[in-house]
Amino acid sequence: MGHPFPIREIARQAGLSEATVDRVLNGRGGVRESTAREVRQAIADLDRQRTQVRLVGRTFMIDIVMQTPDRFSTAVRAALEAELPGLHPAVVRSRFHFRETGPVEELTRTLDRIARRGSQGVILKAPDVPEVTAAVVRLAEAGIPVVTLVTDLPSTPRLAYVGIDNRAAGATAAYLMGQWLGDRPGHVLTSLSSGFFRNEEEREMGFRSAMRARHPQRTLVELAEGQGLDATQYDLVRAALERDPEIRAVYSIGGGNIATLRAFEDLGRECAVFVAHDLDHDNTRLLREHRLSLVLHHDLRQDMREACHIVMRAHGALPPAGPTLPSAIQVVTPYNMPTPIG
């Protein structure tokens, strides 16, 4: 397993002991395959991050913990690593703990391992459930600052939330949906990945409230628990379309948009308006192909920069600043797409 990094640096990146890393690198056996994968991932992470500008300032190790589809975690990783050279005055290293779905106990075990092992900060995207709240309390008790990303956990001792005003985003989606549909008949499908993510709940509330105020005659059909994954989303959307022949538009709050469009196509149904969130690689392609009407987006690079700055301020590496403001909501069409992160 060729690499230019000292065992100590790999062990720190992976959150493992130097002895364990040494066994993996030298093929001595007695190590689970999942542990070997963690070592390989740590080396890959270090390789991507080694081009970071070397600064005299302090080094921070930050853990990014997210329950989200791969397409979004990939976008977050790219955004953070693109920002690393500019994170003055400190050098920031990152460990990634991503999962698409699974029992909440697995997520809390990850947070508890970080609390025991230590970290300069945690950037967290997680469902708002009591088990996660308790784990964030334990992180705070261990002196580890937590910043929530994209979806908030307001009842926890997290330092700050970084992301858009989700209720305003939902209302924006309703305004644009109403303008686009005009007087044409048809029901609107609202699709959430899960009812346990606060950001999705707030988007749905903003959307429903604005639609009720501006277009009270329009029927909304709610769909949930597709986890934002194409594998589960297709069957849910197809069943909804078969039950309701009047569905003509979609507000996708939680993703799975390739599967949603395939369900429309397989039933020979037109989706007249499709509003989605986030310019991940799936939505970027669908928007370029004019299969989405528009995407509500926010600058992930700015979000990751702000999250890291909050952690650095917590350790005194940056001067205090005012309260964190919501990220700007960008309305992206095929004709004003931002430059991809390179």
Side-chain angles (χ1 to χ4, degrees), residues 20 22 24 33 51 88 95 115 149 162 183 187 195 206 215 223-224 226 249 253 260 288-289 298-299 302 310 317 335:
T20 298
D22 184 73
V24 172
E33 174 56 28
T51 57
H88 298 271
R95 289 186 291 237
L149 177 70
V162 174
D183 295 329
H187 300 168
H215 309 283
L223 189 67
I253 299 171
T260 297
R288 285 198 179 112
E289 295 171 353
H298 52 108
D299 187 343
Q302 177 182 321
I310 291 167
Y335 302 102

Side-chain angles (χ1 to χ4, degrees), residues 164-176 202-208 210-211 251 253 277 296 329:
I164 59 174
D165 180 331
N166 286 292
R167 189 182 288 265
T172 300
Y175 175 80
L176 295 167
E202 291 176 344
R203 290 173 187 178
E204 195 276 336
M205 290 169 62
F207 184 82
R208 186 174 294 276
M211 288 294 287
Y251 174 38
I253 299 171
H277 278 272
L296 298 176
I329 302 169

Side-chain angles (χ1 to χ4, degrees), residues 2 24 36 79 91 101 145 162 196 198 213 215 235 239 248 267 283 291 307:
V24 172
V91 174
T101 187
V162 174
F196 294 107
R198 180 172 287 268
H215 309 283
D235 289 340
R248 295 284 185 272
L267 292 173
N283 285 345
R291 299 174 69 196

Side-chain angles (χ1 to χ4, degrees), residues 9 12-13 45-46 48-64 80-81 83-95 119-121 304-305 308-309 311-313 315 317-318:
E9 190 170 1
R12 187 177 185 212
Q13 178 73 27
D45 291 340
L46 286 169
R48 280 193 306 274
Q49 297 171 28
R50 65 178 172 174
T51 57
Q52 178 181 350
V53 177
R54 300 299 177 183
L55 302 173
V56 178
R58 295 163 58 182
T59 297
F60 287 84
M61 180 65 76
I62 296 178
D63 290 271
I64 294 87
L80 174 60
E81 292 180 346
E83 282 299 305
L84 289 181
L87 288 174
H88 298 271
V91 174
V92 173
R93 296 295 187 201
S94 49
R95 289 186 291 237
S119 176
Q120 275 72 53
M304 298 309 294
R305 179 168 64 249
C308 290
H309 281 171
V311 171
M312 292 158 66
R313 289 187 196 106
H315 292 279
L318 288 176

